[in-house]
Amino acid sequence: MKTETITLPGDVPGNAIELRVLRFEGGDANAPTAYLQSSLHGGELPGQAALHFLVPLLEKAKAEGRIAGDITIVPQANPIASNQWQAYQHLGRFELFTQTNFNRAFPLLPDFDTSGLLDIDAPVPLAERLKATLLRLALPHEIVLDLHCDDQSENYLYIHQDFLADMLDLAAALGSKAILSWDSTADAAFEEACAYPVLQLSADARDMKRRAVTTVEFRGLADVDFETGWSDAQGLYRFLVHRGVVRDDGETLSASFDGPVTPLSHVEMVRAPQGGMVLYHVVPGDEVREGDSLVTIVTRPGDASGDVTLTAPQTGRILTRRSLRYVRRGDDLLKLLGSRLSAVAKRPGALEA
Ligand SMILES: [Zn+2]
């Protein structure tokens, strides 16, 4: 393994960030290549844990001459977000300077030529240069896995509908419980920017069987421990072997994915109509019927007449919920995977800000 450090100058004197890039060179020029990054929002540690335990597996494979395709790993993809702390709390989702979600507004390139992307010292803010740098690292690879996590959540994937049929093996390898399928590039998330040049190709030139582009939601923020990290690393390794990026005769993908595939338009985002204390009736993984109680918001503690109970707008499965029990009016509380158009389906783009 070769470790490369890319230093991006900060926006004011005396500041810089460092991207640590781990590279495994493949021995077979015809093998698919893979790029894995974690923590684009700075603090999603399940992906970091998975990569921490994946690297030794790849080092062993490298020592035994079993790395077929090039593999590039960026365990901490966003040092800006990693360092955003305020009043003892980590705040990595939005860049504090512009309030922009770090996983939005990536450049959408018409093809795989990255020569037009911003240089690391271009005269633009650091976040834009970081996005260009990550895209420049990722785009040469056919497999791009962007490892995130949700708040409290099941293990699930985002997959563009054109990639879906050829990516069920990833869901099987990772033990994913659900897939959210999407078809718009309205937000230009990292995954969208990596899929975009592929989608500009004609159908017969895409070679989808070699490709995989996804956002992996490795459960919730607090699901970080030895056992889970090791298990997720094995899932990633199994997928890389299954795709021929790594050779390992002892590894086979026997599981299959049997969870729901839900279009974003069928995901119910249940929001708080008022602020207050949240008492949940459900946990991620629960199956609910239309009308079942999901969550009660206590708006006036000591006065039950102020309680607001929200019910399931349709039958489905609870995918995620928010961990903070104190919410504001309009906050997202949970995601429910439905089987018909959701109440918010008319809103294009991402489910969340
Ligand atoms: Zn994230």
Side-chain angles (χ1 to χ4, degrees):
M1 182 182 80
K2 293 200 178 91
T3 302
E4 178 190 346
T5 302
I6 301 175
T7 303
L8 288 89
D11 292 333
V12 292
N15 283 269
I17 61 167
E18 289 185 345
L19 267 186
R20 206 160 42 87
V21 182
L22 315 179
R23 293 187 188 274
F24 293 87
E25 192 179 343
D28 177 357
N30 295 317
T33 60
Y35 173 87
L36 296 87
Q37 74 174 24
S38 177
S39 311
L40 189 53
H41 292 114
E44 312 97 308
L45 300 182
Q48 283 188 30
L51 295 178
H52 184 67
F53 292 110
L54 175 65
V55 165
L57 296 175
L58 298 180
E59 283 183 311
K60 182 168 186 292
K62 180 67 180 172
E64 295 169 359
R66 295 188 286 106
I67 302 284
D70 292 345
I71 303 170
T72 305
I73 296 178
V74 182
Q76 293 167 291
N78 191 343
I80 309 171
S82 302
N83 195 37
Q84 285 191 165
W85 294 76
Q86 215 165 45
Y88 298 90
Q89 299 209 38
H90 182 242
L91 301 171
R93 188 168 179 85
F94 301 92
E95 192 205 4
L96 292 182
F97 180 56
T98 61
Q99 308 286 301
T100 304
N101 183 327
F102 277 111
N103 196 18
R104 302 283 185 271
F106 275 83
L108 299 178
L109 302 180
D111 54 40
F112 293 94
D113 178 5
T114 59
S115 61
L117 287 171
L118 294 169
D119 291 331
I120 58 172
D121 59 353
V124 298
L126 178 57
E128 288 179 47
R129 292 181 278 125
L130 173 65
K131 287 174 184 173
T133 303
L134 294 173
L135 197 55
R136 192 183 294 114
L137 286 168
L139 271 188
H141 303 78
E142 291 145 310
I143 293 168
V144 177
L145 309 183
D146 187 17
L147 311 180
H148 291 248
C149 68
D150 210 298
D151 193 347
Q152 292 184 337
S153 176
E154 294 215 280
N155 185 8
Y156 70 99
L157 303 172
Y158 284 94
I159 301 179
H160 187 279
Q161 61 183 19
D162 288 9
F163 288 77
L164 193 54
D166 299 302
M167 282 183 59
L168 299 180
D169 56 347
L170 177 67
L174 298 184
S176 308
K177 299 290 194 224
I179 293 171
L180 301 191
S181 72
W182 57 275
D183 63 357
S184 118
T185 50
D187 302 289
F190 181 75
E191 173 192 355
E192 296 173 15
C194 292
Y196 194 80
V198 180
L199 298 171
Q200 307 315 302
L201 298 168
S202 63
D204 56 343
R206 289 180 181 179
D207 209 2
M208 288 306 224
K209 295 245 176 288
R210 291 169 66 89
R211 296 189 186 277
V213 178
T214 184
T215 305
V216 178
E217 299 286 357
F218 263 147
R219 309 174 193 79
L221 278 167
D223 294 321
V224 184
D225 54 70
F226 281 102
E227 196 178 330
T228 309
W230 172 238
S231 164
D232 287 342
Q234 286 179 307
L236 292 170
Y237 181 78
R238 199 173 300 129
F239 174 69
L240 294 175
V241 171
H242 181 68
R243 284 297 184 98
V245 183
V246 179
R247 281 194 299 270
D248 188 335
D249 293 338
E251 193 70 60
T252 51
L253 181 57
S254 51
S256 60
F257 171 72
D258 59 1
V261 177
T262 306
L264 290 189
S265 59
H266 293 190
V267 179
E268 299 281 2
M269 293 294 295
V270 175
R271 298 201 165 92
Q274 295 186 54
M277 170 171 64
V278 169
L279 302 174
Y280 284 110
H281 299 273
V282 292
V283 297
D286 280 357
E287 302 280 350
V288 297
R289 301 199 62 78
E290 183 174 344
D292 284 354
S293 295
L294 299 177
V295 50
T296 295
I297 302 171
V298 177
T299 64
R300 290 192 298 274
D303 177 1
S305 70
D307 291 3
V308 180
T309 294
L310 305 176
T311 58
Q314 56 173 311
T315 294
R317 181 186 178 102
I318 306 300
L319 184 69
T320 72
R321 70 179 189 183
R322 191 172 163 171
S323 59
L324 196 63
R325 301 300 193 257
Y326 184 34
V327 299
R328 296 168 64 98
R329 186 183 298 241
D331 278 359
D332 297 328
L333 298 175
L334 57 80
K335 298 188 192 79
L336 186 160
L337 302 178
S339 53
R340 59 169 197 246
L341 280 181
S342 73
V344 293
K346 289 196 179 74
R347 196 170 66 103
L351 293 169
E352 294 162 280

